[in-house]
Coordinates of all heavy atoms in Angstrom, one line a residue:
N1 N -3.5 -10.1 1.4 CA -4.3 -9.5 0.4 C -4.9 -8.2 0.9 O -4.8 -7.9 2.1 CB -5.3 -10.5 -0.2 CG -6.4 -10.9 0.8 OD1 -6.8 -10.1 1.6 ND2 -6.9 -12.1 0.6
I2 N -5.6 -7.5 0.0 CA -6.2 -6.2 0.3 C -7.2 -6.3 1.5 O -7.3 -5.5 2.4 CB -6.8 -5.5 -0.9 CG1 -5.7 -5.1 -1.9 CG2 -7.7 -4.3 -0.6 CD1 -4.9 -3.9 -1.5
T3 N -8.0 -7.3 1.4 CA -9.1 -7.5 2.4 C -8.5 -7.7 3.8 O -8.9 -7.0 4.7 CB -9.9 -8.8 2.1 OG1 -10.5 -8.6 0.8 CG2 -11.0 -9.0 3.1
D4 N -7.4 -8.5 3.9 CA -6.7 -8.7 5.2 C -6.1 -7.4 5.6 O -6.1 -7.0 6.8 CB -5.7 -9.8 5.1 CG -6.3 -11.2 4.8 OD1 -7.5 -11.3 5.1 OD2 -5.6 -12.0 4.3
L5 N -5.4 -6.7 4.7 CA -4.8 -5.4 5.0 C -5.8 -4.4 5.6 O -5.5 -3.7 6.6 CB -4.0 -4.9 3.8 CG -3.0 -3.8 4.0 CD1 -1.9 -4.3 5.0 CD2 -2.4 -3.4 2.7
N6 N -6.9 -4.3 4.9 CA -8.0 -3.4 5.3 C -8.4 -3.7 6.7 O -8.6 -2.8 7.6 CB -9.1 -3.4 4.4 CG -8.9 -2.6 3.1 OD1 -8.1 -1.6 3.1 ND2 -9.6 -3.0 2.0
R7 N -8.6 -5.0 7.0 CA -9.1 -5.4 8.3 C -8.0 -5.2 9.4 O -8.3 -4.6 10.5 CB -9.5 -6.8 8.3 CG -10.1 -7.4 9.6 CD -10.6 -8.8 9.5 NE -9.5 -9.7 9.1 CZ -9.5 -10.4 7.9 NH1 -10.5 -10.3 7.1 NH2 -8.5 -11.2 7.7
E8 N -6.8 -5.6 9.1 CA -5.7 -5.5 10.1 C -5.3 -4.1 10.5 O -5.0 -3.8 11.6 CB -4.4 -6.2 9.6 CG -4.6 -7.7 9.3 CD -4.3 -8.6 10.5 OE1 -3.4 -8.2 11.3 OE2 -4.8 -9.7 10.5
L9 N -5.3 -3.2 9.5 CA -4.8 -1.8 9.7 C -6.0 -0.8 9.7 O -5.7 0.4 9.7 CB -3.8 -1.4 8.6 CG -2.5 -2.3 8.6 CD1 -1.6 -1.8 7.4 CD2 -1.8 -2.2 9.9
D10 N -7.2 -1.3 9.7 CA -8.4 -0.4 9.7 C -8.3 0.6 8.5 O -8.5 1.8 8.7 CB -8.5 0.3 11.0 CG -9.9 0.9 11.2 OD1 -10.9 0.3 10.6 OD2 -10.0 1.9 11.9
L11 N -8.0 0.1 7.3 CA -8.0 0.9 6.1 C -9.2 0.7 5.3 O -10.1 -0.1 5.6 CB -6.7 0.5 5.2 CG -5.4 0.6 5.9 CD1 -4.3 0.1 5.0 CD2 -5.1 2.0 6.3
N12 N -9.3 1.5 4.3 CA -10.5 1.4 3.4 C -10.0 1.4 1.9 O -10.5 2.2 1.1 CB -11.4 2.6 3.6 CG -12.8 2.3 3.0 OD1 -13.1 1.2 2.7 ND2 -13.5 3.4 2.7
L13 N -8.9 0.6 1.6 CA -8.4 0.5 0.3 C -9.5 -0.2 -0.6 O -10.1 -1.1 -0.2 CB -7.1 -0.3 0.2 CG -6.0 0.3 1.0 CD1 -4.8 -0.6 1.0 CD2 -5.5 1.7 0.4
P14 N -9.7 0.3 -1.8 CA -10.6 -0.4 -2.7 C -10.3 -1.8 -3.0 O -9.1 -2.1 -3.3 CB -10.7 0.5 -4.0 CG -9.4 1.2 -3.9 CD -8.9 1.4 -2.5
E15 N -11.2 -2.7 -3.1 CA -11.0 -4.0 -3.4 C -11.6 -4.2 -4.8 O -12.7 -3.8 -5.1 CB -11.7 -5.0 -2.5 CG -11.1 -4.8 -1.0 CD -11.8 -5.7 0.0 OE1 -12.2 -6.8 -0.3 OE2 -11.9 -5.3 1.1
H16 N -10.8 -4.8 -5.7 CA -11.1 -4.9 -7.1 C -10.7 -6.2 -7.7 O -9.7 -6.8 -7.2 CB -10.5 -3.7 -7.9 CG -11.0 -3.5 -9.2 ND1 -10.6 -4.1 -10.4 CD2 -12.0 -2.6 -9.6 CE1 -11.3 -3.7 -11.4 NE2 -12.2 -2.8 -11.0
Q17 N -11.4 -6.7 -8.7 CA -11.1 -8.0 -9.2 C -9.8 -8.0 -10.0 O -9.2 -9.0 -10.3 CB -12.2 -8.5 -10.1 CG -12.4 -7.7 -11.4 CD -13.7 -8.2 -12.1 OE1 -14.5 -8.8 -11.5 NE2 -13.8 -7.8 -13.4
D18 N -9.3 -6.8 -10.4 CA -8.0 -6.7 -11.2 C -6.8 -6.9 -10.3 O -5.7 -7.2 -10.8 CB -7.9 -5.4 -11.9 CG -8.9 -5.2 -13.0 OD1 -9.4 -6.3 -13.5 OD2 -9.1 -4.1 -13.5
Y19 N -6.9 -6.8 -9.0 CA -5.8 -7.1 -8.1 C -6.3 -7.6 -6.8 O -7.4 -7.4 -6.4 CB -5.0 -5.8 -7.9 CG -5.8 -4.6 -7.3 CD1 -6.1 -4.5 -6.0 CD2 -6.3 -3.7 -8.2 CE1 -6.9 -3.5 -5.5 CE2 -7.1 -2.6 -7.7 CZ -7.4 -2.5 -6.4 OH -8.2 -1.5 -5.9
Q20 N -5.4 -8.3 -6.1 CA -5.8 -8.8 -4.7 C -4.8 -8.4 -3.7 O -5.0 -8.6 -2.5 CB -5.8 -10.4 -4.8 CG -7.0 -10.8 -5.6 CD -7.0 -12.4 -5.7 OE1 -6.2 -13.0 -5.1 NE2 -8.1 -12.9 -6.2
T21 N -3.6 -7.9 -4.1 CA -2.6 -7.5 -3.1 C -2.3 -6.0 -3.2 O -2.7 -5.3 -4.1 CB -1.2 -8.2 -3.5 OG1 -0.8 -7.7 -4.8 CG2 -1.4 -9.7 -3.6
I22 N -1.6 -5.6 -2.1 CA -1.2 -4.2 -2.1 C -0.3 -3.8 -3.2 O -0.3 -2.7 -3.8 CB -0.6 -3.8 -0.7 CG1 -0.3 -2.3 -0.6 CG2 0.7 -4.6 -0.5 CD1 -1.6 -1.5 -0.5
G23 N 0.6 -4.8 -3.7 CA 1.4 -4.6 -4.8 C 0.6 -4.3 -6.1 O 0.9 -3.4 -6.9
G24 N -0.4 -5.1 -6.3 CA -1.3 -5.0 -7.4 C -2.1 -3.6 -7.4 O -2.3 -3.0 -8.4
F25 N -2.5 -3.2 -6.1 CA -3.1 -1.9 -6.0 C -2.2 -0.8 -6.4 O -2.6 0.1 -7.1 CB -3.6 -1.8 -4.5 CG -4.1 -0.4 -4.2 CD1 -5.3 0.0 -4.7 CD2 -3.4 0.4 -3.4 CE1 -5.8 1.3 -4.5 CE2 -3.9 1.7 -3.1 CZ -5.1 2.1 -3.6
V26 N -0.9 -0.9 -6.0 CA 0.0 0.2 -6.3 C 0.2 0.2 -7.8 O 0.3 1.3 -8.4 CB 1.4 0.0 -5.5 CG1 2.4 0.9 -6.1 CG2 1.1 0.2 -4.1
I27 N 0.4 -0.9 -8.4 CA 0.6 -1.0 -9.9 C -0.7 -0.3 -10.6 O -0.5 0.5 -11.5 CB 0.8 -2.4 -10.4 CG1 2.2 -2.9 -9.9 CG2 0.7 -2.5 -11.9 CD1 2.4 -4.4 -10.1
T28 N -1.9 -0.6 -10.1 CA -3.1 -0.1 -10.7 C -3.1 1.4 -10.5 O -3.4 2.2 -11.4 CB -4.3 -0.8 -10.1 OG1 -4.3 -2.2 -10.4 CG2 -5.6 -0.2 -10.7
L29 N -2.8 1.8 -9.3 CA -2.8 3.3 -9.0 C -1.8 4.1 -9.8 O -2.2 5.2 -10.3 CB -2.5 3.4 -7.5 CG -2.8 4.7 -6.8 CD1 -4.2 5.1 -6.8 CD2 -2.3 4.7 -5.3
L30 N -0.6 3.6 -10.0 CA 0.4 4.3 -10.8 C 0.3 4.0 -12.3 O 0.9 4.8 -13.1 CB 1.8 3.9 -10.3 CG 2.1 4.3 -8.8 CD1 3.5 3.8 -8.4 CD2 2.0 5.8 -8.7
G31 N -0.3 2.9 -12.7 CA -0.4 2.6 -14.1 C 0.8 1.9 -14.7 O 0.9 1.8 -15.9
T32 N 1.7 1.6 -13.8 CA 3.0 0.9 -14.2 C 3.6 0.2 -13.0 O 3.2 0.5 -11.9 CB 4.0 2.0 -14.8 OG1 5.1 1.2 -15.3 CG2 4.5 2.9 -13.7
I33 N 4.5 -0.7 -13.3 CA 5.2 -1.3 -12.2 C 6.3 -0.4 -11.6 O 7.2 0.0 -12.4 CB 5.9 -2.7 -12.6 CG1 4.8 -3.6 -13.0 CG2 6.7 -3.3 -11.4 CD1 5.3 -4.9 -13.7
P34 N 6.1 0.1 -10.4 CA 7.1 1.1 -9.9 C 8.4 0.4 -9.5 O 8.6 -0.7 -9.3 CB 6.4 1.6 -8.6 CG 5.5 0.4 -8.2 CD 5.1 -0.3 -9.4
V35 N 9.4 1.3 -9.5 CA 10.8 0.9 -9.1 C 10.9 1.2 -7.6 O 10.2 2.0 -7.0 CB 11.9 1.6 -9.9 CG1 11.8 1.1 -11.4 CG2 11.8 3.1 -9.8
K36 N 12.0 0.6 -7.0 CA 12.3 0.9 -5.6 C 12.4 2.4 -5.4 O 13.0 3.1 -6.1 CB 13.6 0.2 -5.2 CG 14.0 0.4 -3.8 CD 15.3 -0.4 -3.5 CE 15.8 -0.1 -2.2 NZ 17.0 -0.8 -1.9
G37 N 11.7 2.9 -4.3 CA 11.8 4.3 -4.0 C 10.6 5.1 -4.5 O 10.4 6.2 -4.0
E38 N 9.9 4.6 -5.4 CA 8.7 5.3 -5.9 C 7.6 5.3 -4.8 O 7.6 4.4 -4.0 CB 8.1 4.7 -7.2 CG 8.8 5.2 -8.4 CD 8.0 4.8 -9.7 OE1 7.0 5.5 -10.0 OE2 8.5 3.9 -10.3
K39 N 6.8 6.3 -4.8 CA 5.7 6.4 -3.9 C 4.4 6.6 -4.6 O 4.3 7.3 -5.6 CB 5.9 7.6 -2.9 CG 7.1 7.4 -2.0 CD 7.3 8.5 -1.1 CE 8.6 8.3 -0.3 NZ 8.9 9.4 0.6
A40 N 3.3 6.1 -4.0 CA 2.0 6.2 -4.5 C 1.2 6.9 -3.3 O 1.4 6.5 -2.2 CB 1.3 4.9 -4.9
V41 N 0.3 7.8 -3.6 CA -0.5 8.4 -2.6 C -2.0 8.1 -2.9 O -2.5 8.2 -4.0 CB -0.4 9.9 -2.6 CG1 -1.3 10.6 -1.6 CG2 1.1 10.3 -2.3
Y42 N -2.7 7.6 -1.9 CA -4.1 7.3 -1.9 C -4.8 7.9 -0.7 O -4.5 7.5 0.4 CB -4.3 5.8 -2.0 CG -5.8 5.5 -2.1 CD1 -6.5 5.6 -3.3 CD2 -6.5 5.0 -1.0 CE1 -7.8 5.3 -3.4 CE2 -7.9 4.7 -1.1 CZ -8.5 4.9 -2.3 OH -9.8 4.6 -2.4
H43 N -5.6 8.9 -0.9 CA -6.2 9.7 0.1 C -5.1 10.1 1.1 O -4.2 10.8 0.7 CB -7.3 8.9 0.8 CG -8.4 8.6 -0.1 ND1 -9.4 9.6 -0.5 CD2 -8.8 7.5 -0.8 CE1 -10.2 9.1 -1.4 NE2 -9.9 7.8 -1.6
N44 N -5.2 9.7 2.4 CA -4.1 10.2 3.3 C -3.0 9.2 3.5 O -2.2 9.4 4.4 CB -4.8 10.5 4.7 CG -5.4 9.2 5.3 OD1 -5.7 8.2 4.6 ND2 -5.6 9.2 6.6
L45 N -2.9 8.2 2.7 CA -1.9 7.2 2.8 C -0.8 7.4 1.8 O -1.1 7.8 0.6 CB -2.5 5.8 2.5 CG -3.6 5.2 3.4 CD1 -4.0 3.9 2.9 CD2 -3.1 5.2 4.8
T46 N 0.4 7.2 2.2 CA 1.6 7.2 1.3 C 2.2 5.8 1.3 O 2.5 5.3 2.3 CB 2.7 8.2 1.7 OG1 2.1 9.5 1.7 CG2 3.8 8.2 0.7
I47 N 2.2 5.2 0.1 CA 2.8 3.8 0.0 C 4.1 3.9 -0.8 O 4.1 4.3 -1.9 CB 1.7 2.9 -0.8 CG1 0.4 3.0 -0.1 CG2 2.3 1.5 -0.9 CD1 -0.8 2.4 -1.0
A48 N 5.1 3.6 -0.1 CA 6.5 3.6 -0.6 C 6.9 2.2 -1.0 O 6.7 1.3 -0.3 CB 7.5 4.2 0.4
V49 N 7.4 2.1 -2.2 CA 7.9 0.8 -2.8 C 9.3 0.6 -2.2 O 10.2 1.4 -2.5 CB 7.9 0.8 -4.3 CG1 8.5 -0.5 -4.8 CG2 6.5 1.0 -4.8
L50 N 9.5 -0.5 -1.4 CA 10.8 -0.8 -0.9 C 11.5 -1.8 -1.8 O 12.8 -1.9 -1.7 CB 10.6 -1.4 0.5 CG 9.9 -0.5 1.6 CD1 9.8 -1.3 2.9 CD2 10.6 0.8 1.7
D51 N 10.8 -2.6 -2.5 CA 11.4 -3.6 -3.4 C 10.5 -4.0 -4.5 O 9.3 -4.2 -4.2 CB 11.8 -4.9 -2.6 CG 12.8 -5.8 -3.3 OD1 13.3 -5.4 -4.4 OD2 12.9 -7.0 -2.9
S52 N 11.0 -4.1 -5.7 CA 10.2 -4.6 -6.8 C 11.1 -5.2 -7.9 O 12.3 -5.0 -7.8 CB 9.4 -3.4 -7.4 OG 10.2 -2.5 -8.0
D53 N 10.5 -5.9 -8.8 CA 11.3 -6.3 -10.0 C 10.5 -6.0 -11.2 O 9.5 -5.3 -11.2 CB 11.6 -7.8 -9.9 CG 10.4 -8.8 -9.8 OD1 9.3 -8.4 -10.3 OD2 10.6 -9.9 -9.3
A54 N 10.8 -6.6 -12.4 CA 10.2 -6.2 -13.6 C 8.7 -6.7 -13.7 O 8.0 -6.2 -14.6 CB 11.0 -6.8 -14.8
R55 N 8.3 -7.6 -12.8 CA 7.0 -8.2 -12.9 C 6.1 -7.8 -11.8 O 4.8 -7.9 -11.9 CB 7.1 -9.7 -13.0 CG 7.7 -10.1 -14.3 CD 7.8 -11.6 -14.5 NE 6.8 -12.3 -13.7 CZ 6.6 -13.6 -13.6 NH1 7.5 -14.3 -14.2 NH2 5.7 -14.1 -12.9
R56 N 6.6 -7.4 -10.6 CA 5.8 -7.2 -9.4 C 6.4 -6.3 -8.4 O 7.6 -6.2 -8.3 CB 5.3 -8.5 -8.8 CG 6.4 -9.3 -8.2 CD 6.0 -10.7 -7.7 NE 7.1 -11.3 -7.0 CZ 7.1 -11.5 -5.7 NH1 6.1 -11.1 -5.0 NH2 8.1 -12.2 -5.2
V57 N 5.6 -5.8 -7.5 CA 6.0 -5.1 -6.3 C 6.2 -6.1 -5.3 O 5.3 -6.9 -5.0 CB 5.0 -4.1 -5.9 CG1 5.3 -3.4 -4.6 CG2 4.8 -3.0 -7.0
K58 N 7.3 -6.2 -4.6 CA 7.6 -7.2 -3.6 C 7.4 -6.8 -2.2 O 6.9 -7.5 -1.3 CB 9.1 -7.7 -3.7 CG 9.4 -8.4 -5.0 CD 10.8 -8.8 -5.0 CE 11.2 -9.7 -6.2 NZ 12.5 -10.1 -6.2
R59 N 7.7 -5.5 -1.9 CA 7.6 -5.0 -0.5 C 7.3 -3.5 -0.5 O 7.8 -2.8 -1.3 CB 8.9 -5.3 0.2 CG 8.8 -5.0 1.7 CD 10.1 -5.4 2.4 NE 10.1 -5.0 3.7 CZ 10.0 -5.7 4.8 NH1 10.0 -7.0 4.6 NH2 10.1 -5.2 6.0
V60 N 6.4 -3.1 0.4 CA 6.0 -1.7 0.5 C 6.0 -1.2 1.9 O 6.0 -2.1 2.9 CB 4.6 -1.4 -0.1 CG1 4.6 -1.7 -1.6 CG2 3.5 -2.1 0.7
R61 N 6.1 0.0 2.2 CA 5.8 0.6 3.5 C 4.7 1.6 3.3 O 4.6 2.5 2.5 CB 7.1 1.4 4.0 CG 6.8 2.2 5.3 CD 8.0 2.8 5.9 NE 8.8 1.7 6.4 CZ 10.1 1.6 6.4 NH1 10.8 2.5 5.9 NH2 10.7 0.6 7.0
I62 N 3.7 1.4 4.2 CA 2.5 2.3 4.2 C 2.6 3.3 5.4 O 2.8 2.9 6.5 CB 1.3 1.4 4.4 CG1 1.2 0.4 3.3 CG2 0.0 2.3 4.4 CD1 0.1 -0.6 3.6
H63 N 2.5 4.6 5.0 CA 2.6 5.6 6.0 C 1.2 6.1 6.2 O 0.5 6.6 5.2 CB 3.5 6.8 5.5 CG 3.5 8.0 6.4 ND1 4.2 8.0 7.6 CD2 2.9 9.2 6.3 CE1 4.0 9.1 8.2 NE2 3.2 9.9 7.4
M64 N 0.7 6.0 7.4 CA -0.7 6.4 7.8 C -0.7 7.5 8.8 O -0.4 7.3 10.0 CB -1.4 5.2 8.4 CG -1.4 4.0 7.4 SD -2.0 2.5 8.2 CE -0.8 2.1 9.4
P65 N -1.0 8.8 8.4 CA -1.0 9.9 9.4 C -2.1 9.6 10.4 O -3.2 9.1 10.1 CB -1.4 11.1 8.6 CG -1.2 10.7 7.1 CD -1.3 9.2 7.1
Q66 N -1.8 9.9 11.6 CA -2.8 9.8 12.7 C -2.8 11.0 13.6 O -1.7 11.6 13.8 CB -2.6 8.5 13.6 CG -2.7 7.2 12.8 CD -2.4 6.1 13.7 OE1 -1.6 6.2 14.7 NE2 -2.9 4.9 13.4
Q67 N -3.9 11.3 14.2 CA -3.9 12.4 15.2 C -3.9 11.8 16.6 O -4.5 10.8 16.9 CB -5.2 13.2 15.0 CG -5.3 14.0 13.8 CD -4.3 15.1 13.7 OE1 -3.9 15.7 14.7 NE2 -3.8 15.3 12.5
S68 N -3.1 12.4 17.5 CA -3.0 11.9 18.9 C -3.4 13.1 19.8 O -3.5 14.2 19.3 CB -1.6 11.4 19.2 OG -0.7 12.5 19.2
A69 N -3.6 12.8 21.0 CA -4.0 13.9 22.0 C -2.9 14.9 22.1 O -3.2 16.1 22.4 CB -4.3 13.2 23.3
A70 N -1.6 14.5 21.9 CA -0.5 15.5 22.0 C -0.2 16.2 20.7 O 0.7 16.9 20.6 CB 0.7 14.7 22.5
G71 N -1.0 15.9 19.7 CA -0.7 16.6 18.4 C -0.6 15.6 17.3 O -0.9 14.4 17.5
A72 N -0.2 16.0 16.2 CA -0.1 15.1 15.0 C 1.1 14.1 15.2 O 2.1 14.5 15.7 CB 0.1 15.9 13.7
S73 N 0.8 12.9 14.8 CA 1.8 11.9 14.8 C 1.6 11.0 13.6 O 0.7 11.3 12.8 CB 1.8 11.1 16.1 OG 0.6 10.3 16.2
S74 N 2.4 10.0 13.4 CA 2.1 9.1 12.3 C 2.4 7.7 12.7 O 3.1 7.4 13.6 CB 3.0 9.5 11.1 OG 4.4 9.4 11.4
A75 N 1.9 6.8 11.9 CA 2.2 5.3 12.0 C 2.7 4.8 10.7 O 2.3 5.3 9.7 CB 0.9 4.6 12.5
Q76 N 3.5 3.8 10.8 CA 4.0 3.1 9.6 C 3.8 1.6 9.7 O 3.9 1.1 10.8 CB 5.5 3.5 9.3 CG 5.7 4.9 9.0 CD 7.2 5.1 8.7 OE1 8.0 4.3 8.8 NE2 7.4 6.3 8.2
S77 N 3.6 1.0 8.6 CA 3.5 -0.5 8.5 C 4.2 -1.0 7.3 O 4.0 -0.5 6.2 CB 2.1 -0.9 8.5 OG 2.0 -2.3 8.3
D78 N 5.1 -1.9 7.5 CA 5.7 -2.6 6.3 C 4.9 -3.8 5.9 O 4.3 -4.5 6.8 CB 7.1 -3.1 6.7 CG 8.2 -2.0 6.7 OD1 7.8 -0.9 6.4 OD2 9.3 -2.3 7.1
S79 N 4.7 -4.0 4.6 CA 3.9 -5.1 4.1 C 4.6 -5.8 3.0 O 5.1 -5.1 2.1 CB 2.5 -4.6 3.7 OG 1.8 -5.6 3.2
N80 N 4.6 -7.1 3.0 CA 5.1 -7.8 1.8 C 3.9 -7.7 0.8 O 2.8 -8.1 1.1 CB 5.4 -9.3 2.1 CG 6.7 -9.4 2.9 OD1 7.6 -8.6 2.8 ND2 6.7 -10.3 3.8
A81 N 4.2 -7.3 -0.4 CA 3.2 -7.2 -1.4 C 3.0 -8.5 -2.0 O 2.0 -8.9 -2.4 CB 3.7 -6.2 -2.5

């Protein structure tokens, strides 16, 4: 759920009673159930939909930009929605 994802990945995604999962968050953010390949952007995060069906988002990839001592880099995390 969103609370666990925020804690595990040190994110600050909004927690709302209308959704409890990253899939629900993406649906709320886009205003529709996205299809495979669609992306949602929230602040500095890009959330790519890897799998979905007519009723829900099943799997996403979260791209989180990070700064390192050697310059810009990025981190990614796959999450079952």
Side-chain angles (χ1 to χ4, degrees):
N1 69 29
I2 292 288
T3 302
D4 294 338
L5 195 61
N6 281 335
R7 185 178 56 248
E8 298 269 333
L9 300 178
D10 195 28
L11 300 175
N12 194 24
L13 297 173
E15 298 178 34
H16 196 274
Q17 65 187 21
D18 288 344
Y19 56 83
Q20 295 181 351
T21 65
I22 187 68
F25 173 68
V26 170
I27 291 168
T28 299
L29 196 60
L30 295 176
T32 188
I33 298 173
V35 297
K36 180 179 177 179
E38 274 192 79
K39 294 181 181 178
V41 176
Y42 180 77
H43 295 285
N44 64 336
L45 300 176
T46 301
I47 306 166
V49 176
L50 301 179
D51 192 15
S52 68
D53 62 25
R55 295 182 24 184
R56 67 186 183 108
V57 174
K58 294 182 176 182
R59 188 175 170 111
V60 299
R61 174 173 286 144
I62 302 171
H63 176 76
M64 304 171 290
Q66 296 178 334
Q67 292 295 325
S68 69
S73 66
S74 64
Q76 292 185 351
S77 176
D78 284 355
S79 177
N80 288 328

